[in-house]
Amino acid sequence: MKIRSQVSMVFHLDKCIGCHTCSIACKNIWTDRQGAEYMWWNNVETKPGVGFPTQWEDQEKYKGGWELKNGKPHLKLQNRVEALGNLFSNPALPTMDDYYEPWTYKYGDLFNSPLGDDQPTARPISRIDGKPIEIESGPNWDDDLGGSNIYAVNDPLLENMTDEEKQRLFSIEQLFYFYMPRICNHCLNAGCVAACPSGAIYKRAEDGIVLINQDKCRGWRMCVSACPYKKTYYNWSTGKSEKCILCYPRLETGQAPACFHSCVGRIRYLGVLLYDADQIEAAVKVSDEQLVQRQREMILDPFDPKVVAAAKESGIPDGVITAAQRSPVYRYVKEWELALPLHPEYRTLPMLFYVPPLLPVLSASQESGTQRVENDLFSSLENARVPVRYMSRMLAAGNDELVTKAYQKMIAVRIYKRAETVGDVTADEANAALAKVGMSAEEAEAIYRLTSLPNYQERFVIPPTGREGDIEEVHDPQQRKAETGFGRRQSPHRGL
Ligand code: SF4
Ligand code: SF4
């Protein structure tokens, strides 16, 4: 067992209000620069919708992530031999149209226009060439038309859904959408790391944050294609690629990343997970149906004395182990099984997990008058306004059972709290609901508290970080490849 620690995240989608404060906090700190105008290391999408860049989930078009060939994971983009042939013409890159042409406004015109009969206006101008432009798209373009069949119908996830399911999604009286904030997932089997011909991208030893060494980057942009989430970006001014750095300078001083810190809905949780690096290869070789379960199995119980001893042996400091024991991410992902990885079928083992949005499920069940435990837990999900299949394609590689189970637990918690606070459900009904999903009252209370009432310290359990000099790189790329079969760099930390 080779234990590593990873700073991981949970986003609770029920709580996101789509205010984009997170995106602006990130933009102000990191990407308000020449060449980075179009970059949104943090963006918030509207689902159903096409996202940013447009239809990023269509891997037939963008060739991101991994696929199994003869039972082994291969980059969908190309192998290394093909990569050499395509160095100068990568055909799977998003274009400016897929992102958008960044713009600003001629604010000066508001102040400097000569006196006249008309009100001066600030016309939009391109931030690339400074010429006037017609704005036709933007990073959150779905917002205005979110959920409608005018725009959202192009969502790649709708492919293969039945007419009846689509009808339910686009029924105009019940039009529904939810917000989907996205940042880099700091994956364990990152496509960007494996695809980089310069070896410029690496996973940081002490906490698993994926970074691009700007001195080594040669701007080949293979990472842009190979990341199925489109979370690396090419800076046209510097000629290098860039990506979310999880605000590591903030983490190193005990502060949450800016997008987490500023989140108005308090939807974001951050904490350490301990995992067994020896299981990475096996975890990405399984069938789609089993991917989430295998990823969960890799995550180790930080209270297990054997795990603690092995973690110490692997050089993980006591402070990080203690942080792992207090991790809200561990609770949501492993203990409660409520949070799921985004598109696990890309096989990058993303370490950002999402609690699926429940609200529309319940409101649909109420409209049909089903209030009792049996109906709320089971029938309501069959008639949910967002078909479970839509969510399972997004968060469970099509495994409906995992999403259903998470929803049932969340509904059971609601029934339990309703009995306590509203009183239209009896205590017996509430206990029956908990029993149906195998949950104790203590667990229901803990889920409720961490979801609804967590303070800053409960949402963000930031591990102590050591100085650069304390971290030894004990595996070179060849050694790591020999050990794991793939991946470029990952090393245990020492003596933090
Ligand atoms: S999401 Fe994963 S593959 Fe994409 S940039 Fe982040 S670590 Fe790399
Ligand atoms: S700041 Fe929080 S609530 Fe607002 S859009 Fe971002 S993730 Fe959602």
Side-chain angles (χ1 to χ4, degrees):
M1 187 155 48
K2 207 187 303 163
I3 300 189
R4 302 282 181 269
S5 68
Q6 169 81 37
V7 173
S8 312
M9 304 145 279
V10 164
F11 289 179
H12 198 307
L13 294 181
D14 250 344
K15 297 169 74 182
C16 181
I17 57 173
C19 61
H20 298 269
T21 310
C22 47
S23 305
I24 299 302
C26 176
K27 173 78 63 197
N28 280 338
I29 298 178
W30 300 117
T31 58
D32 193 15
R33 295 172 279 120
Q34 190 177 43
E37 300 91 344
Y38 78 101
M39 293 181 200
W40 293 89
W41 292 358
N42 181 109
N43 74 302
V44 183
E45 298 174 2
T46 307
K47 283 300 207 176
V50 293
F52 170 77
T54 307
Q55 294 188 309
W56 63 268
E57 287 158 300
D58 182 354
Q59 302 311 335
E60 289 314 305
K61 177 176 174 187
Y62 289 121
K63 311 269 180 236
W66 302 81
E67 62 186 353
L68 287 183
K69 277 187 194 158
N70 302 322
K72 286 197 170 165
H74 289 265
L75 280 180
K76 208 171 165 87
L77 178 66
Q78 57 206 354
N79 59 37
R80 278 175 199 274
V81 179
E82 288 165 342
L84 284 176
N86 280 340
L87 267 185
F88 298 100
S89 67
N90 179 350
L93 282 173
T95 64
M96 173 99 87
D97 287 342
D98 295 318
Y99 293 109
Y100 71 108
E101 185 166 348
W103 74 87
T104 184
Y105 297 92
K106 285 183 85 178
Y107 293 109
D109 288 358
L110 296 177
F111 302 102
N112 303 326
S113 299
L115 206 60
D117 294 334
D118 300 321
Q119 283 276 34
T121 54
R123 292 183 64 194
I125 50 170
S126 166
R127 288 189 73 186
I128 305 291
D129 59 14
K131 294 186 181 154
I133 59 166
E134 286 294 322
I135 302 171
E136 287 174 354
S137 67
N140 57 349
W141 210 241
D142 293 84
D143 254 10
D144 292 341
L145 299 169
S148 82
N149 60 3
I150 301 166
Y151 199 72
V153 78
N154 299 318
D155 184 334
L157 293 181
L158 298 177
E159 198 194 336
N160 301 332
M161 290 187 76
T162 65
D163 287 346
E164 197 259 323
E165 283 169 328
K166 285 187 197 163
Q167 177 72 27
R168 243 192 290 156
L169 268 176
F170 295 126
S171 157
I172 200 77
E173 304 80 22
Q174 299 194 339
L175 206 58
F176 153 77
Y177 62 86
F178 62 93
Y179 293 106
M180 179 86 193
R182 297 203 299 119
I183 63 172
C184 166
N185 299 285
H186 297 278
C187 311
L188 295 186
N189 185 35
C192 60
V193 177
C196 175
S198 311
I201 313 187
Y202 62 102
K203 217 166 155 51
R204 213 161 80 137
E206 63 269 41
D207 50 20
I209 296 174
V210 174
L211 297 171
I212 302 178
N213 181 330
Q214 294 291 295
D215 289 336
K216 280 190 170 181
C217 176
R218 295 286 170 266
W220 299 119
R221 285 174 268 182
M222 294 304 161
C223 54
V224 180
S225 304
C227 169
Y229 304 94
K230 292 292 159 276
K231 280 296 170 189
T232 56
Y233 300 87
Y234 178 68
N235 183 316
W236 57 265
S237 176
T238 62
K240 316 264 183 184
S241 291
E242 298 178 7
K243 64 180 287 301
C244 158
I245 58 172
L246 204 57
C247 285
Y248 73 81
R250 289 177 61 92
L251 283 178
E252 286 172 3
T253 51
Q255 303 171 78
C259 57
F260 286 68
H261 186 103
S262 64
C263 176
V264 175
R266 301 185 174 187
I267 82 158
R268 296 170 180 232
Y269 300 80
L270 183 137
V272 172
L273 292 177
L274 302 179
Y275 68 94
D276 182 2
D278 280 341
Q279 292 187 39
I280 291 180
E281 187 170 7
V284 297
K285 278 179 168 174
V286 296
S287 68
D288 283 2
E289 289 274 294
Q290 298 169 301
L291 279 166
V292 174
Q293 199 47 40
R294 280 300 278 117
Q295 188 171 358
R296 278 183 188 151
E297 282 164 20
M298 281 179 62
I299 299 167
L300 303 169
D301 179 356
F303 298 98
D304 181 340
K306 279 195 209 128
V307 171
V308 171
K312 287 184 180 185
E313 190 125 316
S314 302
I316 296 177
D318 290 349
V320 175
I321 297 170
T322 310
Q325 291 171 341
R326 293 178 44 232
S327 169
V329 179
Y330 181 78
R331 306 205 85 182
Y332 272 119
V333 175
K334 180 89 174 188
E335 213 176 301
W336 300 333
E337 300 188 338
L338 293 177
L340 299 155
L342 180 61
H343 288 298
E345 73 276 17
Y346 299 160
R347 291 183 157 73
T348 61
L349 298 174
M351 296 311 274
L352 160 56
F353 302 85
Y354 291 87
V355 179
L358 174 61
L359 276 170
V361 174
L362 264 193
S363 62
S365 81
Q366 281 160 359
E367 276 160 24
S368 62
T370 49
Q371 288 288 323
R372 288 293 160 241
V373 171
E374 200 67 29
N375 285 337
D376 273 349
L377 282 178
F378 301 103
S379 312
S380 63
L381 289 173
E382 281 158 29
N383 303 315
R385 253 157 69 188
V386 195
V388 166
R389 196 134 75 95
Y390 182 84
M391 296 312 305
S392 75
R393 284 202 68 193
M394 184 185 283
L395 299 175
N399 188 334
D400 293 347
E401 205 185 314
L402 294 171
V403 174
T404 304
K405 211 172 145 198
Y407 273 144
Q408 285 175 343
K409 281 185 139 185
M410 290 161 77
I411 294 172
V413 173
R414 279 204 185 187
I415 293 172
Y416 172 76
K417 290 309 285 182
R418 234 184 139 81
E420 214 177 83
T421 56
V422 184
D424 60 348
V425 181
T426 65
D428 284 348
E429 285 172 333
N431 290 333
L434 295 184
K436 284 260 180 210
V437 296
M439 190 193 289
S440 66
E442 291 73 38
E443 189 174 321
E445 193 64 39
I447 292 173
Y448 162 72
R449 289 200 66 79
L450 196 58
T451 302
S452 308
L453 308 169
N455 61 27
Y456 191 94
Q457 284 74 21
E458 287 164 330
R459 278 183 288 142
F460 312 130
V461 180
I462 299 164
T465 319
R467 297 201 192 98
E468 236 175 290
D470 294 334
I471 299 154
E472 260 175 51
E473 183 89 24
V474 296
H475 295 305
D476 65 21
Q478 274 71 31
Q479 189 182 344
R480 167 144 178 84
K481 193 161 192 311
E483 284 174 358
T484 65
F486 55 95
R488 195 170 283 274
R489 285 174 65 186
Q490 188 168 55
S491 55
H493 38 252
R494 287 274 184 270
L496 300 186

